[in-house]
Amino acid sequence: MEKLIITGGGPLQGEVTIAGAKNAALPAIAACLLSAEPVTLTNIPGVRDIDTALQLLSLMGCEVERDANTLQVTASTLTSVRAPYELVRTMRGSILLLGPLLARFGEADVSLPGGCAIGSRPVNEHITGLERMGAEIDIEAGYIKAKATRLKGAHIVFDVPSVTATENLMMAATLADGTTVIDNAAMEPEITDLALMLSSMGARITGAGTNSITIEGVVSLHGAQHQIPPDRIETGTFLVAAAATRGDITLRNSNAAHLQYVIAKLEDVGSDISSGPDWIRLNSRGLRPQPVNITTAPYPAFPTDMQAQFVTLNALADGSSTVVETIFENRFMHIAELQRMGAHIELQGHTAAIQGTERLQAAPVMATDLRASASLVIAALAADGDTTIDRVYHLDRGYDNIDAKLADLGASTRRVSG
């Protein structure tokens, strides 16, 4: 098992290029199942979750061709509609195969998903929505077994907006008989991007990016070419790392419009931020960050995927702050590891009360999930000494070539086995 050793204490400075968004690429890969014709995706990130998704498609009989960050998937014939536990257990996004398989092939056999251990993320919205569209679904031995002759359009109202459920049902509805309306839908940029891709394949979708999406089903979808947008969470992670280390960085292939709430908080921290059509610059002016209060909420509010990074930033701030997590009940596992590095954080239910300290100290720590691992990297970059981060496979699930990017910004990192 690999570990990452980071020598901290210096500011991040320079330029890096942000990869394509993992959370947009995964539903786009699943959407390739909806057409018998080749679908080409560009700006694919080199992360472990993408590798897992492509293994799943290959196992089902899809033709998968990958060259650098370009991917072509042809799902003209499938030999299996089964997504086995052995692969699904490592990646929450595998649930996204359920809707496309059921819509195009009339059946699906998908293991209940795994991924980060950050709390309960039930699949009931996926199942209930597909049942409203006429699917027959049973859960047996840890697998979702679904059948449908042809899905029917339906009116679906989520109790709580879910990104993956919105994506799954939107994909399923593209080939349904009739019109589907999804109310209380998630509004994340990844939803809008998926709708753009599906529309380029011949789907009829309106309202993506709002809380009400309408999909008029068609008989079939054709091939298309689609570019994955930049990863807004990777972007935000690097911006926080620059603020925490009192650095000055420019991020290429980034979209400030997708991070307005995060950028506003970073300006409150005291950083100067400027941006253009495809770049963002953060200049901390060498100043210690000021504390900011955070409450996570569905888009367009503050993203839960940036909570851990801001906990680290606040741990270094000049003053006290609170961070409230409203999305997942178990997403503060990084706090115990930050405390090992000298952070003054008291956990009170869903609220972290933080008293900033000017310096953190290097210590051996362990990553517990994808975004927690990012928070530990930021802490290590800002700490005095060599920090060893164990279980960095969590980091590789969602950050493309992060070691080299940090090196380009002047950080000292190395990987070791054992």
Side-chain angles (χ1 to χ4, degrees), residues 52-132:
T52 302
L54 297 182
Q55 288 181 56
L56 280 168
L57 292 194
S58 296
L59 190 65
M60 292 176 180
C62 293
E63 296 179 19
V64 177
E65 299 178 18
R66 188 175 185 179
D67 180 18
N69 67 348
T70 298
L71 171 68
Q72 185 177 87
V73 177
T74 306
S76 54
T77 59
L78 253 65
T79 56
S80 172
V81 293
R82 183 179 177 84
Y85 172 74
E86 291 74 22
L87 288 176
V88 169
R89 67 184 176 88
T90 67
M91 184 186 68
R92 173 75 184 173
S94 53
I95 190 68
L96 292 166
L97 300 175
L98 182 62
L101 285 172
L102 189 58
R104 181 158 167 246
F105 300 99
E107 59 180 328
D109 192 359
V110 178
S111 172
L112 289 168
C116 286
I118 58 175
S120 174
R121 293 190 279 186
V123 298
N124 58 295
E125 298 279 26
H126 303 252
I127 293 172
T128 301
L130 290 171
E131 286 178 334
R132 288 190 62 83

Side-chain angles (χ1 to χ4, degrees), residues 266-351:
L266 286 169
E267 289 175 332
D268 290 343
V269 162
S271 297
D272 288 336
I273 299 179
S274 55
S275 63
D278 61 353
W279 61 271
I280 304 173
R281 180 187 176 189
L282 182 144
N283 182 2
S284 70
R285 296 174 293 142
L287 300 177
R288 183 180 176 187
Q290 296 301 304
V292 288
N293 296 326
I294 298 293
T295 299
T296 65
Y299 190 87
F302 192 89
T304 181
D305 278 353
M306 286 300 303
Q307 175 257 104
Q309 298 91 315
F310 267 80
V311 167
T312 296
L313 186 60
N314 275 326
L316 292 158
D318 185 13
S320 61
S321 61
T322 58
V323 175
V324 182
E325 174 59 57
T326 71
I327 308 297
F328 296 120
E329 71 274 15
N330 198 26
R331 203 167 200 175
F332 278 130
M333 290 186 288
H334 47 284
I335 287 177
E337 303 303 304
L338 291 172
Q339 288 169 335
R340 288 173 52 79
M341 300 179 70
H344 303 307
I345 307 173
E346 182 181 349
L347 187 57
Q348 304 165 346
H350 296 291
T351 300

Side-chain angles (χ1 to χ4, degrees), residues 183-373:
D183 279 331
N184 200 23
M187 299 187 290
E188 274 74 359
E190 293 79 14
I191 303 290
T192 305
D193 183 70
L194 178 60
L196 181 64
M197 175 187 172
L198 293 170
S199 296
S200 72
M201 297 170 68
R204 300 172 181 173
I205 302 173
T206 58
T210 74
N211 63 2
S212 183
I213 303 174
T214 300
I215 308 101
E216 183 183 344
V218 297
V219 174
S220 63
L221 297 180
H222 52 72
Q225 181 168 326
H226 180 71
Q227 180 171 310
I228 302 300
D231 194 315
R232 62 191 174 100
I233 305 302
E234 183 189 12
T235 301
T237 299
F238 273 98
L239 292 174
V240 171
T245 61
R246 309 184 191 185
D248 181 358
I249 69 171
T250 299
L251 305 178
R252 303 294 178 185
N253 185 40
S254 55
N255 187 341
H258 292 169
L259 278 170
Q260 292 181 3
Y261 210 107
V262 170
I263 288 173
K265 288 295 182 180
L266 286 169
E267 289 175 332
D268 290 343
V269 162
S271 297
D272 288 336
I273 299 179
S274 55
S275 63
D278 61 353
W279 61 271
I280 304 173
R281 180 187 176 189
L282 182 144
N283 182 2
S284 70
R285 296 174 293 142
L287 300 177
R288 183 180 176 187
Q290 296 301 304
V292 288
N293 296 326
I294 298 293
T295 299
T296 65
Y299 190 87
F302 192 89
T304 181
D305 278 353
M306 286 300 303
Q307 175 257 104
Q309 298 91 315
F310 267 80
V311 167
T312 296
L313 186 60
N314 275 326
L316 292 158
D318 185 13
S320 61
S321 61
T322 58
V323 175
V324 182
E325 174 59 57
T326 71
I327 308 297
F328 296 120
E329 71 274 15
N330 198 26
R331 203 167 200 175
F332 278 130
M333 290 186 288
H334 47 284
I335 287 177
E337 303 303 304
L338 291 172
Q339 288 169 335
R340 288 173 52 79
M341 300 179 70
H344 303 307
I345 307 173
E346 182 181 349
L347 187 57
Q348 304 165 346
H350 296 291
T351 300
I354 306 166
Q355 179 62 51
T357 183
E358 186 160 4
R359 305 296 299 179
L360 296 175
Q361 300 300 316
V365 292
M366 181 178 66
T368 54
D369 62 73
L370 172 56
R371 304 309 173 186
S373 65

Side-chain angles (χ1 to χ4, degrees), residues 399-412:
Y399 289 94
D400 182 348
N401 208 17
I402 191 169
D403 303 30
K405 291 178 180 179
L406 289 173
D408 288 342
L409 295 173
S412 173

